[in-house]
Amino acid sequence: MELDIPALLEKLKKLPAGTPVLLDVKNYRGYFYYSTTVGSQTYGKVDTAAMDELIAWLGSSELYTIARMPALSDYVYGAENPSAGIPLKSGALYFDENKCYWLDPTEEATQTYLIQVVRELRQLGFDEVVFTQFTIPESEKVVFNADRRQAISDAAQAIVSACATESFLVSYATEDVTFPMPVDRSRLYLLHVPAAGVADIVAQLPESFISSRLVFFADNTDTRYEQYGVLRPIDLALFD
């Protein structure tokens, strides 16, 4: 994709200080959209120089900047580091319908890789990183002897402990309201929750969590999201 950086910057410059802006920095196959020093490949359909320019401007702005990236779905890293992949009973590595390898969150190599990426994004000026696809595939063919929920919980906490600070968060986006969240310095971003279901979700969580750690992704302007944290596509949220 090509970014019209001048047009986008003109819009961003109109935003009040502290406005959250989320930017995708990596795709589900493991290709980066910016000039990373951690990953081995960038995505050829993206103008990497333009992304670098945008990230640099965001890092120097007074906006609250969030980098979003898939975590455990990563064809590139899985192909280059097979020991970090999730094995099948056949001895091969798990390969999903999108032709992607998935990484084992209990492997040191997996956690080290994700920590390096998060630290790079923090150095580039982002205020928060949000991981998507932080889960273990549900497949009878997968060999995973550890408790899956505990494995996800331990890995999520390990990355937060290694990277997050009082002014930098490491968060997780999921459809699962029961996702095993780290103790602090992390937020839960809920995906695909219809406005009619917001009240039911909120009823399951303590007030302190709702007020400071819960964010909905919304693809519409329904006002039932408004009293909680909410992020919308840029064309819906702020601009004509």
Side-chain angles (χ1 to χ4, degrees):
M1 69 182 172
E2 293 187 6
L3 290 175
D4 185 348
I5 292 295
L8 181 56
L9 285 178
E10 285 305 309
K11 292 180 178 180
L12 293 174
K13 289 174 181 178
K14 297 177 182 178
L15 298 176
T19 299
V21 175
L22 182 145
L23 186 67
D24 287 308
V25 295
K26 176 175 171 283
N27 72 8
Y28 67 91
R29 290 184 60 78
Y31 293 99
F32 288 78
Y33 296 151
Y34 66 96
S35 299
T36 178
T37 62
V38 179
S40 62
Q41 296 194 45
T42 55
Y43 189 52
K45 295 182 180 180
V46 171
D47 185 342
T48 305
M51 281 291 287
D52 293 343
E53 179 183 345
L54 176 58
I55 289 171
W57 184 87
L58 288 170
S60 65
S61 75
E62 295 184 357
L63 302 175
Y64 183 86
T65 55
I66 307 166
R68 180 171 61 180
M69 58 173 280
L72 302 179
S73 168
D74 195 311
Y75 171 81
V76 175
Y77 190 81
E80 295 176 348
N81 301 271
S83 64
I86 294 179
L88 299 174
K89 294 176 181 178
S90 66
L93 294 179
Y94 177 77
F95 206 58
D96 70 11
E97 64 276 8
N98 293 316
K99 299 182 179 180
C100 279
Y101 296 116
W102 281 67
L103 308 181
D104 184 340
T106 67
E107 287 289 334
E108 182 179 355
T110 298
Q111 293 187 22
T112 298
Y113 168 60
L114 294 177
I115 287 169
Q116 288 175 335
V117 177
V118 172
R119 287 176 173 171
E120 177 177 71
L121 292 166
R122 185 177 66 188
Q123 186 66 31
L124 289 172
F126 284 98
D127 299 296
E128 184 173 354
V129 169
V130 177
F131 283 120
T132 62
Q133 295 177 308
F134 206 91
T135 187
I136 299 166
E138 293 289 344
S139 171
E140 295 180 356
K141 298 179 180 180
V142 165
V143 177
F144 195 84
N145 297 321
D147 181 277
R148 295 181 183 223
R149 183 175 177 83
Q150 190 63 51
I152 290 297
S153 176
D154 291 346
Q157 183 62 62
I159 296 170
V160 168
S161 297
C163 300
T165 68
E166 291 300 318
S167 59
F168 180 85
L169 305 183
V170 179
S171 300
Y172 298 88
T174 176
E175 297 181 18
D176 180 11
V177 69
T178 67
F179 181 87
M181 287 291 292
V183 175
D184 58 10
R185 293 174 293 163
S186 182
R187 292 195 285 188
L188 175 65
Y189 286 74
L190 285 178
L191 306 168
H192 308 135
V193 177
V198 167
D200 289 339
I201 294 294
V202 168
Q204 299 178 52
L205 299 169
E207 178 60 37
S208 58
F209 190 96
I210 295 166
S211 61
S212 62
R213 303 185 66 190
L214 178 65
V215 181
F216 291 98
F217 278 117
D219 59 2
N220 59 67
T221 57
D222 195 297
T223 57
R224 281 173 285 189
Y225 297 106
E226 294 301 330
Q227 58 185 304
Y228 312 107
V230 57
L231 283 177
R232 293 186 171 95
I234 197 167
D235 58 339
L236 285 181
L238 296 167
F239 304 122
D240 296 329

